[in-house]
Amino acid sequence: MRHRLRTALLGAVTTALTATFLAGPAPAVAAGHAGPRTGFEESGGARWTTQPEEQELLARADRDSARLQVDRIGTTEQGRPLQLVRIGATRPPTADRTRHGNSVLLICSQHGNEPSGREACLSTVRDLAYATDAATRRFLERTSVLVIPTANPDGRAANTRGNSDGVDINRDHLALKTAEGRTMARVLRDYRPDTVYDLHEYGATPPYYDKDLLALWPRNLNTQDAVHEEATTLSERYVRPTVQHSGFSTGIYGIWTDPETGEPVKQVAGDGQARILRNTAGVKNSVGLLVETRTTPLTQAEKDDPAVNNRRRVHSQLAGLKGAFAFLDERRGRIEAATGAARTAGYADRGPVYLGGADNDPATDEEVLKDPPCGYRLDGAAYAEVRDELALHGVRAEQDGTGALVRLRQPLRALVPLLLDGRSADHLTVAKPSAGC
């Protein structure tokens, strides 16, 4: 029965996700239904969808589909909109429904020169908006879908990795110095998505690091065990196998492997830094996953025709999303149980907090708060400096006449020392540990 349900889901919910772009342009809407096409689709992959085309597609879907709503949730330094798309079964899910049911947040093109994830997100938004089949409706009745189609619009316009100030916003999920980082933090706080799926691209280094799609879960040691387990399951039992079944090669992000033996050679990326979104998601009790598709052309056809390369990049992203949707549908009970338990675990205020290390790199003694303080005290000036960032993260602070006390006994327990302890690499300010809360 489970196999039949999964087959139906993958065939109906993700009709567009199974359509191959390798042979040329093809409609990516649910069978038998009209809908706006992306600029990428119209050109057969010869060019990427422009911002005006993106805005037109989203506006039309918002107008045509009762189940979808597009919200402007922020503005970049150069005045471009940051948008959140909310998709439900019959109407857009509210924040309250999203917080109390299974939900996923797709974050697309944090790096402006990595467009394939954005293309996959735009066509997925369109397909979910216009689909009328029973399997899609059933899926959306049980899973709220949130999408930030372009997380870095200024970088996308300039075709740069960073935003208009040159900042890598995927290193800003703790400090929240950028408009983009602050906007994503607000979405994580207000909607509390169970799963955060982050779409990227990378340049290959043949023959050690050249898979079509790489994936990686939160390595940060503050990720609760059950959340970590679901994140590795998402990668290793759903996304990567589905991508492989679609004819693409896969691997683990950041790990070079020997092409002859498949054994690891060295790690070049993918550590446990809490400021990176996949790790921030884990620290904030969500199932996080980073996916990276290969930009480097490796076949002669891809070298001769960039459109062939572009189509392969987008299609491998769509294959990954197909696996992610199956994960969301089949394991929704386990996902909700894992994230729900992780959010309540902080109230117990027990166990160590890790200031370093990763799931494949044990923390040193200096990187472990084995007996953390019950809280951190901020004087008036320090609290004024960081109060907005604490609020954006959803960290509760108790004001008094001399400043504020931030207790660890709260859902984001592990995040508190990362933000306020002077030994943390990414602290916002140095607060005084409190022994008497």
Side-chain angles (χ1 to χ4, degrees):
M1 174 63 76
R2 171 173 289 187
H3 176 74
R4 290 198 300 272
L5 288 174
R6 181 173 185 177
T7 301
L9 174 71
L10 297 187
V13 177
T14 58
T15 299
L17 307 187
T18 60
T20 178
F21 291 98
L22 297 178
V29 297
H33 300 283
R37 300 181 73 198
T38 66
F40 177 84
E41 292 166 338
E42 291 286 356
S43 69
R47 64 176 181 83
W48 305 108
T49 301
T50 66
Q51 186 191 26
E53 288 171 334
E54 174 183 339
Q55 295 306 302
E56 182 180 352
L57 182 148
L58 294 176
R60 180 172 166 186
D62 193 357
R63 183 174 61 251
D64 291 350
S65 176
R67 66 166 62 114
L68 178 147
Q69 182 167 320
V70 180
D71 303 317
R72 183 166 183 158
I73 54 174
T75 303
T76 69
E77 186 70 23
Q78 294 183 345
R80 293 184 175 88
L82 291 160
Q83 294 170 299
L84 176 70
V85 181
R86 296 182 285 125
I87 310 171
T90 58
R91 61 178 60 88
T94 63
D96 183 68
R97 174 176 173 78
T98 303
R99 287 195 300 267
H100 293 93
N102 190 32
S103 57
V104 61
L105 170 64
L106 309 182
I107 294 185
C108 321
S109 294
Q110 281 200 77
H111 295 142
N113 60 351
E114 299 173 6
S116 72
R118 171 179 178 256
E119 297 295 344
C121 287
L122 289 173
S123 59
T124 297
V125 165
R126 183 267 321 283
D127 295 328
L128 292 176
Y130 287 89
T132 58
D133 59 279
T136 299
R137 184 179 296 275
R138 197 161 51 244
F139 173 76
L140 291 173
E141 284 172 351
R142 300 182 291 196
T143 302
S144 298
V145 178
L146 308 175
V147 185
I148 298 179
T150 305
N152 183 5
D154 291 351
R156 176 68 199 102
N159 194 33
T160 57
R161 178 180 176 87
N163 68 0
S164 58
D165 293 323
V167 177
D168 183 342
I169 60 176
N170 200 28
R171 303 297 185 273
D172 187 44
H173 292 289
L174 289 189
L176 305 184
K177 298 299 184 184
T178 65
E180 298 87 355
R182 295 170 77 86
T183 298
M184 283 184 274
R186 191 177 299 112
V187 172
L188 292 175
R189 179 197 66 190
D190 293 348
Y191 290 89
R192 292 206 303 267
D194 293 293
T195 301
V196 178
Y197 190 90
D198 186 22
L199 295 82
H200 287 259
E201 297 193 86
Y202 81 104
T205 307
Y208 302 104
Y209 198 54
D210 59 359
K211 305 299 185 185
D212 291 314
L213 183 140
L214 304 173
L216 189 62
W217 50 88
R219 287 201 184 277
N220 190 278
L221 293 173
N222 294 299
T223 305
Q224 291 284 321
D225 288 345
V227 172
H228 182 270
E229 180 181 353
E230 289 304 314
T232 56
T233 297
L234 169 59
S235 172
E236 301 303 282
R237 289 176 51 189
Y238 285 85
V239 170
R240 288 184 58 200
T242 304
V243 171
Q244 290 167 354
H245 183 72
S246 299
F248 299 103
S249 59
T250 72
I252 296 175
Y253 176 71
I255 305 295
W256 285 23
T257 57
D258 186 305
E260 297 296 329
T261 66
E263 293 298 314
V265 174
K266 63 178 177 178
Q267 182 170 342
V268 296
D271 59 20
Q273 293 179 64
R275 62 181 182 157
I276 297 170
L277 180 61
R278 63 180 166 79
N279 286 317
T280 304
V283 174
K284 290 186 174 183
N285 307 313
S286 293
V287 175
L289 192 71
L290 167 82
V291 294
E292 301 252 0
T293 54
R294 188 190 77 223
T295 61
T296 313
L298 292 183
T299 67
Q300 192 59 48
E302 290 188 0
K303 294 174 183 177
D304 292 341
D305 184 357
V308 177
N309 174 269
N310 295 343
R311 292 196 296 267
R312 189 260 307 155
R313 291 154 63 182
V314 174
H315 184 59
S316 59
Q317 291 279 16
L318 290 170
L321 282 170
K322 182 169 63 175
F325 277 20
F327 167 82
L328 295 165
D329 191 62
E330 291 183 11
R331 295 184 68 88
R332 62 186 182 279
R334 294 181 177 90
I335 297 166
E336 290 183 64
T339 58
R343 288 162 185 155
T344 59
Y347 290 113
D349 194 17
R350 290 195 301 268
V353 174
Y354 299 92
L355 303 179
D359 65 2
N360 64 342
D361 180 24
T364 65
D365 288 344
E366 293 74 22
E367 293 173 324
V368 183
L369 300 180
K370 296 179 181 178
D371 186 20
C374 65
Y376 289 84
R377 178 159 289 282
L378 297 159
D379 63 26
Y383 181 56
E385 179 186 356
V386 301
R387 63 184 300 171
D388 287 349
E389 287 72 27
L390 293 177
L392 283 167
H393 281 301
V395 171
R396 295 197 299 268
E398 302 169 20
Q399 283 187 265
D400 54 32
T402 61
L405 174 67
V406 182
R407 302 178 190 269
L408 267 67
R409 192 184 295 273
Q410 55 179 300
L412 297 179
R413 176 180 182 266
L415 183 62
V416 174
L418 297 179
L419 299 177
L420 301 179
D421 196 298
R423 291 165 289 183
S424 168
D426 298 300
H427 62 268
L428 301 180
T429 190
V430 178
K432 182 178 179 181
S434 178
C437 298

